[in-house]
Amino acid sequence: MNRKVPEPDRTEPDRTEPDRTEPDRGEPERTETGGAEAGGTETDRTEMGEAARRGRRGRGRRPARVPGRPGVRKGTAARSRTAAGRRAGLRRRARALLSGPVLAGSVLVCSVLAAASGCGLTSGSPMVDNVEPGTIGRGRPLEGADLTVTSKEFTEQLVLGAIMGIAFQAAGADVLDRTGIQGSVGTRAAVENGDADAAYEYTGTAWITYLGHNRPIPDPREQWQAVHDQDLRHGITWLAPSSLNNTYALATNRAHHAQYGTNTLSEVAALSKRDPGAVTLCVEGEFANRADGLPGMEKAYGMHVPARNITQMDTGIIYTQTAKGVCTFGEVYTTDGRIKSMDLVVMKDDRRFFPNYNAAPMVRTATLEKWPAIVSVLDPVTRALDNDVAQDLNAKVDVDGQDPHQVALDWMKEKGFVTAG
């Protein structure tokens, strides 16, 4: 399939010096000088205390929905179900979720505003994938379980939510699909309050946003363990993490990589000292101003990039401009599908400056106690997730235009986790 890259915004980015002032730690108001970025990403991390670490991320399009069937995606295979009573029970549960005071605090406000703002909170619909056990779910240990899966609304989260739901179905569970909630707060509240049973979440998000810490833990396993231990008191159990780490990075194109030979941020820092004009950056406005973005990175690596060498622009433009060589290095997210599609080379964060954002299943403890087989169902799937896998799956959606749920289903079959029913 030809891989079509969206046309970049032709608006000339602002080349003025970025404001280095640390932004307000409340609700982020991001002004990006390259133009307004399309929504559909984690815009609400600061609502629970994080300092807008990744903000609006430009993760890609929401998949088309089947008219008249909220929550059902085009491309999702229809599945006949013989247990009509259980299906009716799922529908009654969905109606109850929609009509009752299902979410608290900011999530309740979000639901009130959903019609006007596209908040993303809906009753959900049963997942209807015709799948059977492959290497997971043998013996159907979740037979009789009614499980609700949720996720945020950007591409990677939609794919991960579908992966989790498909795994549960193969193990015998009936699954209610509530993926696509806007932002971190709504997704977290759904699990914490019992309106969803599980979601794939990022360790850094939990540590900073939900648990209120300011300093991330450099070692990814220790970061996961700390999140696991502290979240138990909230009735949430974190299962084993993946090596999928969706964090910040700098990347360059192949020509610049061959010219300068940089592979790590320490080497980029050395280049900036040896040849200050060689290091030019394309970054988001937020990254340019945040302590855990460019200013912090410069301090950690002992580099200084002159303001004249920094261009602020929208996320989508950064990838295309970096690929074209307009700037030597561009800010990227490590699991973005455009890294591979544009053949960019990611610089290793050899001093572990950027926080770890490893994806792991976040499961309601009460659900796990009732259905302990969830661990054996999800662990093999989570182990198979890494940055290369995420880049491939994200690219199928954001570059090739495929449906997130279908991408997840195809991958689960390809890996042998599930088989066609």
Side-chain angles (χ1 to χ4, degrees):
M1 177 181 293
N2 293 328
R3 303 172 75 85
K4 294 184 179 179
V5 179
E7 277 295 313
D9 185 350
R10 301 296 182 183
T11 305
E12 181 64 18
D14 186 354
R15 297 183 182 273
T16 57
E17 179 173 352
D19 180 8
R20 298 287 182 172
T21 305
E22 180 68 8
D24 182 13
R25 296 290 181 174
E27 180 67 16
E29 181 63 31
R30 292 186 56 195
T31 302
E32 305 209 39
T33 57
E37 180 176 341
T41 55
E42 293 190 71
T43 60
D44 60 359
R45 289 180 182 271
T46 57
E47 292 180 43
M48 294 183 68
E50 184 188 10
R53 175 243 160 209
R54 288 187 285 187
R56 301 185 183 100
R57 310 186 59 171
R59 295 290 184 160
R61 301 175 299 277
R62 291 289 304 278
R65 301 285 180 173
V66 177
R69 298 179 65 197
V72 180
R73 295 184 180 84
K74 291 181 179 178
T76 303
R79 174 184 173 188
S80 62
R81 304 188 59 89
T82 57
R86 293 172 67 187
R87 181 176 58 190
L90 271 175
R91 288 173 176 167
R92 285 194 298 272
R93 183 180 179 190
R95 286 195 297 270
L97 283 169
L98 182 61
S99 60
V102 297
L103 297 175
S106 61
V107 182
L108 182 58
V109 173
C110 190
S111 65
V112 172
L113 298 176
S117 64
C119 188
L121 294 177
T122 66
S123 63
S125 295
M127 279 193 186
V128 288
D129 302 290
N130 190 12
V131 292
E132 297 294 336
T135 58
I136 63 170
R138 291 175 179 172
R140 300 177 71 82
L142 299 181
E143 188 75 46
D146 288 338
L147 301 176
T148 299
V149 172
T150 189
S151 81
K152 303 164 207 182
E153 84 285 16
F154 59 83
T155 294
E156 182 171 289
Q157 278 280 295
L158 292 172
V159 173
L160 290 175
I163 285 172
M164 178 178 283
I166 292 164
F168 287 162
Q169 289 177 88
D174 284 312
V175 179
L176 188 67
D177 181 357
R178 294 196 67 211
T179 57
I181 291 178
Q182 186 174 6
S184 300
V185 172
T187 306
R188 166 69 173 206
V191 176
E192 192 167 358
N193 295 339
D195 302 307
D197 295 294
Y200 271 102
E201 183 55 281
Y202 304 100
T203 52
T205 303
W207 186 248
I208 298 171
T209 304
Y210 309 142
L211 300 175
H213 297 280
N214 293 322
R215 294 180 179 273
I217 298 173
D219 182 82
R221 185 72 189 190
E222 291 178 5
Q223 178 69 92
W224 171 84
Q225 189 67 58
V227 168
H228 171 276
D229 294 347
Q230 291 194 23
D231 233 356
L232 288 173
R233 67 175 181 263
H234 298 120
I236 290 176
T237 300
W238 285 71
L239 305 189
S242 68
S243 59
L244 185 166
N245 181 23
N246 189 349
T247 191
Y248 285 126
L250 292 185
T252 190
N253 68 10
R254 289 289 174 183
H256 283 139
H257 182 251
Q259 180 179 358
Y260 297 114
T262 56
N263 292 290
T264 68
L265 290 179
S266 290
E267 291 172 350
V268 174
L271 175 63
S272 70
K273 294 175 181 177
R274 184 173 68 251
D275 184 1
V279 177
T280 58
L281 303 178
C282 292
V283 299
E284 293 178 299
E286 183 176 312
F287 182 82
N289 293 300
R290 290 196 42 71
D292 59 353
L294 178 58
M297 183 192 75
E298 288 183 300
K299 183 177 180 180
Y301 283 92
M303 72 170 80
H304 173 69
V305 182
R308 64 180 178 275
N309 289 4
I310 302 170
T311 304
Q312 298 182 33
M313 55 184 67
D314 287 347
T315 302
I317 307 175
I318 292 173
Y319 288 83
T320 56
Q321 297 297 84
T322 303
K324 291 176 181 179
V326 173
C327 48
T328 320
F329 301 95
E331 169 211 351
V332 299
Y333 295 105
T334 51
T335 61
D336 197 298
R338 289 167 292 189
I339 291 174
K340 281 192 174 181
S341 70
M342 298 184 183
D343 197 25
L344 301 178
V345 182
V346 176
M347 301 294 102
K348 182 179 179 180
D349 179 15
D350 51 311
R351 294 190 181 179
R352 293 183 174 183
F353 166 70
F354 294 120
N356 296 299
Y357 284 81
N358 293 90
M362 176 180 70
V363 185
R364 187 167 170 79
T365 302
T367 301
L368 195 60
E369 290 173 348
K370 186 176 181 180
W371 301 102
I374 286 174
V375 176
S376 62
V377 170
L378 290 183
D379 273 357
V381 178
T382 304
R383 283 197 299 269
L385 295 170
D386 59 25
N387 283 10
D388 286 336
V389 169
Q391 287 176 13
D392 287 339
L393 299 182
N394 289 334
K396 289 179 185 297
V397 179
D398 292 334
V399 179
D400 297 340
Q402 297 184 37
D403 172 67
H405 194 102
Q406 190 62 46
V407 167
L409 181 59
D410 292 344
W411 182 76
M412 292 287 282
K413 290 179 179 178
E414 176 188 328
K415 298 294 290 184
F417 293 129
V418 303
T419 61

